[in-house]
Amino acid sequence: MRKAHPLSLDDADLARLRGVGERLDLNEVEEVYLPLSRLLSYYVEGASHLHRLTSGFLGERPDRTPFVIGIAGSVAVGKSTTARILRELLARWPNTPRVDLVTTDGFLLPNAELERRGILHRKGFPESYDQRALLRFVAQVKGGADVVRAPVYSHLTYDIVPGESTVVHRPDVLIVEGLNVLQPPRVRADGRLSLALSDFFDFSVYVHAPVDLIRRWYVDRFLRLRQTAFSDPESYFHRYASLSDEQAQETAMNIWRSINEPNLRENVETTQGRATLVLTKGPDHAVHRVRLRKL
C-alpha cells in the first residue's frame, strides 16, 4: 500500500519516538504506519483540492486550511507513540512538510483549580479539561490564524507549566492527541448541542486494545517508571520510586481501578465508533487489525 515509498525512519528514531515499555519495531512501522501516513497524505491532498474548489465557487481567496487529525485511546495503549510516529512520517511526504502535534494534556485545568473544584482525583476525566480553551485553540488553527499558542503540561510535576506555551504557526497538518478528543457534543442547558472538538477533525484515529491488556501495560509501565521518571526528586510521583515490586503493583492497580479504568469505560472506549480508523493491538503491543471507515 505504500507503493515502494522508502522507510526513512531507523532504530534510533524509534528509540526516540516509542513510549515506555512499547515493543514497536521497524517492521510494524513499515507494514502499518507508513501505509497509513500515505493514506493520510491522500486525504490531505483531497481536502485541499475540495477547499480550493469551494473557495473558487464562493469567490474567496483560497488560503490553505490546516488538515486536523484527532488521535484517541486509553492511558498506556500507545496513542502518544502513534501520534509521534505519524507526525514524523507525514512530515516526510512532499505535500505536508509542516506537521504540528499538540496533546490535550496542556488543556488540563491546573492542579490548584482541580483541588478547588474537588476533582483532582478525576484528572483525565472530561470535566478536568478547559474545554473552551481547547475548542478555541483548534478553531483558531483550523481558521488559519498565523500564530496560536497552547499551554504546556509537565509529566514530571504533574501540572501545567506557568508561562510556557507551544506555538503553532499555520501547519499543513495538526495532530491533536488525547483521551477524550472524540467525545460527542454535550447537550446544553437550553437543549441545544454544544460544539465538539471532533467537529474540527478531518480524520480521526482510535487506538484500541482489550481492557485486560491495557491494565497489564499500565502496571508494567508504572513499575518501569520507578527507575526513570519517578526517581527524579522533582517528580510529583517521586514517593513511588522506593516502593517494592509488590507495593508498586498494588499501588498501580489501585490507581487503575479507581481512575483510569472507570474513565476508559465511561468516556474513552465509548467514542471508538466515532473514529475514521481504528488500530487494534494484540498482547505483543503490535497492531493486529486496522479498520477504516470508507467514504
Side-chain angles (χ1 to χ4, degrees):
M1 291 180 176
R2 62 190 175 94
K3 292 296 184 186
H5 186 79
L7 178 62
S8 52
L9 300 183
D10 56 25
D11 287 322
D13 291 319
L14 285 195
R16 172 172 52 88
L17 296 170
R18 70 165 64 95
V20 176
E22 294 183 33
R23 299 176 179 86
L24 182 71
D25 58 28
L26 289 174
N27 184 61
E28 184 179 1
V29 173
E30 191 169 24
E31 291 185 351
V32 177
Y33 295 102
L34 185 55
L36 176 54
S37 74
R38 176 172 176 264
L39 175 65
L40 285 169
S41 74
Y42 284 153
Y43 271 75
V44 174
E45 188 176 347
S48 179
H49 178 63
L50 179 60
H51 177 67
R52 288 195 301 271
L53 289 175
T54 305
S55 296
F57 176 78
L58 296 174
E60 298 174 342
R61 187 164 60 95
D63 290 336
R64 182 160 185 167
T65 300
F67 190 90
V68 181
I69 301 170
I71 298 183
S74 171
V75 168
V77 79
K79 65 183 180 302
S80 298
T81 297
T82 295
R84 289 191 294 266
I85 289 174
L86 287 179
R87 176 192 185 184
E88 199 84 10
L89 291 171
L90 278 169
R92 302 180 188 211
W93 288 97
N95 63 325
T96 54
R98 297 198 310 271
V99 183
D100 282 331
L101 168 61
V102 170
T103 72
T104 57
D105 290 345
F107 294 91
L108 283 162
L109 294 168
N111 286 350
E113 178 61 20
L114 292 174
E115 288 180 346
R116 188 187 72 79
R117 298 187 186 189
I119 57 172
L120 183 60
H121 64 290
R122 290 178 66 82
K123 195 168 189 175
F125 283 71
E127 65 268 26
S128 66
Y129 292 87
D130 186 342
Q131 296 285 357
R132 288 185 179 180
L134 179 55
L135 284 168
R136 185 167 56 248
F137 167 79
V138 178
Q140 288 175 343
V141 174
K142 190 72 174 173
D146 283 338
V147 176
V148 188
R149 299 179 183 274
V152 173
Y153 183 82
S154 169
H155 288 275
L156 182 68
T157 62
Y158 194 59
D159 206 352
I160 300 297
V161 181
E164 287 196 22
S165 61
T166 298
V167 179
V168 175
H169 177 65
R170 295 182 66 87
D172 299 308
V173 176
L174 173 68
I175 298 174
V176 183
E177 175 258 309
L179 290 169
N180 302 300
V181 298
L182 291 179
Q183 282 285 307
R186 293 174 294 175
V187 180
R188 303 193 319 191
D190 59 7
R192 293 186 297 171
L193 291 178
S194 62
L195 199 62
L197 184 63
S198 58
D199 290 336
F200 296 99
F201 294 165
D202 298 287
F203 195 97
S204 55
V205 178
Y206 185 92
V207 185
H208 169 70
V211 175
D212 59 330
L213 291 181
I214 304 175
R215 182 190 305 115
R216 190 180 77 201
W217 297 337
Y218 175 80
V219 173
D220 289 346
R221 186 178 71 176
F222 189 94
L223 294 176
R224 288 188 179 93
L225 286 173
R226 288 177 303 163
Q227 281 75 49
T228 54
F230 294 175
S231 64
D232 190 325
E234 299 297 318
S235 172
Y236 180 87
F237 298 103
H238 182 61
R239 61 189 181 278
Y240 298 142
S242 60
L243 295 179
S244 67
D245 287 352
E246 184 177 346
Q247 291 170 327
Q249 185 155 345
E250 182 180 357
T251 300
M253 285 298 295
N254 287 337
I255 296 172
W256 173 263
R257 291 193 190 101
S258 62
I259 301 174
N260 294 312
E261 186 167 349
N263 194 22
L264 170 59
R265 294 191 183 277
E266 296 169 16
N267 303 304
V268 181
E269 197 173 43
T270 55
T271 67
Q272 179 183 161
R274 295 171 53 81
T276 315
L277 181 137
V278 178
L279 300 174
T280 298
K281 293 189 170 187
D284 58 354
H285 226 302
V287 174
H288 285 209
R289 185 184 185 199
V290 180
R291 289 187 293 152
L292 174 68
R293 185 188 300 277
K294 296 180 181 177
L295 295 178

